[in-house]
Amino acid sequence: MTQPSAEQLQIIGAPLAPMSVIACAGSGKTFTAVRRLAQMRRDLGDHRGRVALLSFSNVAVDTFRREYQNLVHEAAAGLAHYRVEIGTLDSFIAGNVLRPHAYRTMGAQQAAFLVTGGEAFLGGFRFQTDKYPREITMMQVGIDNGGVYFCYSDNDRTCRLDTAQATNLVHRLGRVGAYTHNLGRYWCYRTLADQPGILRALARRYPHILIDEAQDIGTVHQAIIEQLVDAGCQVSLIGDPNQGIYEFAGASGAFLRQYGQREGVNGLGLTKNYRSVPPILDLANRLSSRADTADRVAPDTTNGTFFVPYRNAERQKLIAAFQAAVLTAELKLECSAVLCRGREMADTLAGNEGAPGQGTVRSLAQAAILRDRHQDYLGAFKLVATSIVGLLADPPRGLVARITQPLGSPDDWALRRLVWTFTRNSDSGLPAATLTGDTQWHSRLLERTRALLAQVAQDYGLPSTDNLGNKLARRGLPNAPLMAGADLAANEDVGRIRVDTVHQAKGEGLDAVLYFANREHANALLAGVDTEVGRIGYVAVTRARNLLWLAIPASSLAELRPVLLERGFRELGAMNAERP
């Protein structure tokens, strides 16, 4: 897109007042939100207050920042690029509330710090379930009928905890000064309630806040937003309620739907899809009962929506057929994906069923596999950082989060670069997963990790633990490469297509999507967007630009075929799946 549409211009140039924008998938939300941000800053003129554009993922934030910088660079003189803040909602509350002020409410003697799991002292902060104790990083928090509750996820179930016991544990951790990602929202809510002066100052500093992907606002985030609104902040929301797929956190899209009905809130919409070809948009409209229009026309190459049966033993063959179809349709394999409802199936299809070894060595082996098999350098970096900090004798509390978070302190940047270099460089750092595990890989790992720890001790005064040999033992490592031969062959050929969950692909546009569904997932998809599983299917559908394959169990084909055809899918036979 180069020029805003009439719908987008209506949003960009709207008066400085709260808005609720219901936007269809692929409608140019980023394009619109960035230009709305710039216009708001213009309209505020010399007002010293800041305008914040917030979202829920670092990927989205990076895109917003890049687009805004381009817009500032290309715009005529006078576009205010100062007093604008772009970040995640969690980084916003961490920077403005948690780190500077929450310690008083928490009863801590030091500034609050984030823990991400793996910190040694967290072993004393597990909570009991009906099965086994779990890490406090797995605890979630919500607000129901004005009351706070604590819970955890067990597969697809949300299990509530005893409120008194959970509160006692959370507050005991708080007195240390520590919070997890989920508990940080709880402490922000508590801090703004306990310290009203902080709330008033925050509303003055940010008189206008625009929140993207607002269907992901959970109950605690909603409570914080309500505090800001009551303090005088004007909050605008933009998102698609049909993509509310975090119901376990209370994020079903209901808050976004209801917000536009409030007095003084301007309700607008985006109804043109710039991403998907007409057959895919037609399917999305049938599922969501919307009537959005397509900007694109169908290309001459293969495109549209197809369903294909699969048997568990032949899933890899189907993935290979999908890869061939992507290339035949002149689409980019690196911009396509196989998506699944859950992490377990995604890991199975990706061949990522766990790394060998034990303890720290297992984590480092997993990091090598993530880097070399999946090119997931960020995931590998986080595992390496946690492992290295775990090998220190007395690491500062919160050190893992400080060196892994994108907006860490400048004091930690040098250590972050050191660990990042170790992670990336298989020649001098974390050894390649193509090496034999118990001999070549382990010997190099031991030598290079010792060298890294010696440098950390010398440069940062953080000595390593005394029992380093035990923590880096080779128990459980195979006398074979960490990556199997099939993985190597795939990497040497056209490359292995990305396999991921729908949740991880949310917000992306992909050339082609193969969505693996079981009978329950397929039925929920076909039933529409009234359930979370149905909305997850809808998100999978609307990621695709040109080509969508829905894989369903062969045993359910007879049951599902009539509804699939009625919804607009075309059938691919199991034997001719390579040529739709």
Side-chain angles (χ1 to χ4, degrees):
M1 298 179 62
T2 56
Q3 296 297 324
S5 67
E7 275 186 333
Q8 292 168 337
L9 284 172
Q10 188 178 10
I11 294 166
I12 294 167
L16 278 175
M19 285 194 303
S20 174
V21 179
I22 305 297
C24 71
S27 58
K29 291 191 294 293
T30 298
F31 181 91
T32 306
V34 166
R35 283 156 180 79
R36 172 59 178 166
L37 174 67
Q39 186 60 49
M40 293 169 74
R41 186 59 263 178
R42 285 194 192 96
D43 292 346
L44 280 172
D46 294 330
H47 192 289
R48 294 187 60 81
R50 299 186 177 191
V51 183
L53 172 57
L54 307 176
S55 192
F56 287 85
S57 74
N58 290 319
V59 173
V61 168
D62 289 344
T63 302
F64 279 131
R65 288 174 177 162
R66 184 170 57 251
E67 290 288 328
Y68 189 76
Q69 289 300 318
N70 290 339
L71 187 64
V72 169
H73 179 72
E74 296 171 1
L79 174 59
H81 59 275
Y82 53 92
R83 294 201 290 272
V84 166
E85 187 165 318
I86 300 174
T88 65
L89 186 51
D90 282 338
S91 68
F92 176 82
I93 64 178
N96 287 287
V97 181
L98 293 176
R99 288 196 292 269
H101 305 295
Y103 74 95
R104 291 187 286 269
T105 297
M106 297 165 79
Q109 300 301 311
Q110 61 177 335
F113 61 92
L114 173 68
V115 291
T116 59
E119 291 86 351
F121 77 95
L122 290 182
F125 293 94
R126 294 185 175 94
F127 62 92
Q128 186 62 48
T129 70
D130 56 356
K131 293 182 179 179
Y132 49 81
R134 298 181 186 241
E135 302 290 339
I136 196 168
T137 51
M138 301 178 67
M139 184 184 288
Q140 298 163 7
V141 59
I143 295 180
D144 187 10
N145 296 321
V148 174
Y149 66 88
F150 299 94
C151 60
Y152 66 97
S153 293
D154 186 5
N155 294 323
D156 288 333
R157 295 187 307 125
T158 298
C159 306
R160 292 206 180 190
L161 296 166
D162 178 270
T163 301
Q165 293 179 5
T167 301
N168 179 65
L169 181 63
V170 169
H171 282 239
R172 187 160 62 86
L173 181 66
R175 287 191 291 273
V176 177
Y179 64 90
T180 67
H181 284 291
N182 287 320
L183 298 181
R185 300 157 196 162
Y186 165 77
W187 284 117
C188 177
Y189 172 70
R190 285 287 312 274
T191 299
L192 293 180
D194 293 347
Q195 303 181 51
I198 303 302
L199 175 60
R200 290 193 297 270
L202 190 61
R204 286 195 300 270
R205 189 180 192 190
Y206 297 95
H208 296 275
I209 297 176
L210 175 60
I211 302 177
D212 177 53
E213 299 289 351
Q215 73 276 355
D216 292 342
I217 295 173
T219 55
V220 185
H221 276 143
Q222 178 181 338
I224 294 169
I225 292 168
E226 298 283 17
Q227 288 175 310
L228 290 169
V229 170
D230 291 343
C233 179
Q234 294 193 351
V235 176
S236 297
L237 308 179
I238 180 169
D240 179 3
N242 295 324
Q243 296 186 56
I245 59 174
Y246 294 96
E247 198 165 288
F248 65 85
S252 63
F255 179 54
L256 173 60
R257 290 185 189 275
Q258 296 162 5
Y259 191 69
Q261 301 170 12
R262 296 188 181 189
E263 184 178 356
V265 177
N266 189 13
L268 297 169
L270 292 173
T271 61
K272 178 167 283 191
N273 184 304
Y274 297 89
R275 175 186 298 153
S276 301
V277 294
I280 295 176
L281 178 60
D282 289 344
L283 171 62
N285 281 338
R286 291 189 182 100
L287 298 177
S288 62
S289 300
R290 289 179 61 94
D292 301 311
T293 57
D295 181 71
R296 295 183 59 196
V297 297
D300 294 333
T301 55
T302 302
N303 67 92
T305 61
F306 302 86
F307 69 93
V308 57
Y310 71 89
R311 292 179 175 83
N312 286 343
E314 299 176 345
R315 289 185 298 195
Q316 292 299 328
K317 181 179 179 181
L318 179 56
I319 292 175
F322 176 67
Q323 290 188 151
V326 170
L327 296 174
T328 300
E330 300 177 7
L331 303 175
K332 294 181 179 179
L333 204 59
E334 64 272 20
C335 296
S336 304
V338 177
L339 301 180
C340 306
R341 161 70 178 85
R343 172 52 59 189
E344 184 177 354
M345 177 182 276
D347 285 343
T348 299
L349 293 178
N352 185 23
E353 297 175 325
Q358 297 180 9
T360 302
V361 170
R362 179 184 176 90
S363 295
L364 292 169
Q366 183 66 61
I369 292 171
L370 284 177
R371 180 194 64 196
D372 297 342
R373 177 191 284 162
H374 303 291
Q375 289 74 54
D376 182 0
Y377 288 91
L378 180 58
F381 168 67
K382 290 180 177 179
L383 283 173
V384 170
T386 301
S387 299
I388 296 302
V389 171
L391 294 173
L392 300 177
D394 187 23
R397 289 180 171 178
L399 182 60
V400 174
R402 282 162 44 191
I403 63 178
T404 56
Q405 297 304 302
L407 299 178
S409 167
D411 296 337
D412 302 313
W413 287 351
L415 180 56
R416 175 186 175 92
R417 283 194 297 269
L418 183 64
V419 177
W420 183 255
T421 301
F422 180 87
T423 303
R424 287 189 62 91
N425 196 329
S426 61
D427 293 328
S428 60
L430 182 67
T434 55
L435 298 172
T436 301
D438 63 351
T439 55
Q440 298 172 317
W441 187 82
H442 181 262
S443 63
R444 288 169 173 78
L445 176 74
L446 192 59
E447 175 187 355
R448 296 171 186 178
T449 303
R450 288 185 186 276
L452 174 65
L453 291 170
Q455 186 173 355
V456 171
Q458 177 180 325
D459 295 349
Y460 306 100
L462 299 172
S464 60
T465 183
D466 292 333
N467 58 344
L468 195 60
N470 291 334
K471 286 182 173 289
L472 292 176
R474 64 181 181 182
R475 289 187 298 272
L477 290 176
N479 185 236
L482 300 183
M483 279 172 54
D487 297 316
L488 304 180
N491 287 341
E492 290 169 0
D493 194 9
V494 295
R496 180 183 292 270
I497 194 169
R498 170 187 171 191
V499 181
D500 216 331
T501 64
V502 176
H503 286 80
Q504 288 299 311
K506 185 173 171 294
E508 298 183 42
L510 300 166
D511 282 1
V513 169
L514 167 57
Y515 178 42
F516 265 97
N518 61 23
R519 178 177 176 273
E520 174 197 356
H521 303 156
N523 276 316
L525 164 67
L526 295 171
V529 294
D530 291 336
T531 66
E532 183 180 38
V533 179
R535 292 192 293 274
I536 290 171
Y538 176 82
V539 171
V541 167
T542 55
R543 298 312 90 203
R545 295 189 182 98
N546 281 47
L547 187 62
L548 171 71
W549 281 20
L550 174 65
I552 60 171
S555 58
S556 302
L557 179 60
E559 170 193 351
L560 295 171
R561 179 189 280 122
V563 187
L564 288 163
L565 294 172
E566 186 274 331
R567 287 284 194 240
F569 282 95
R570 289 184 282 169
E571 184 171 5
L572 290 174
M575 298 305 295
N576 65 347
E578 296 185 15
R579 287 193 296 272

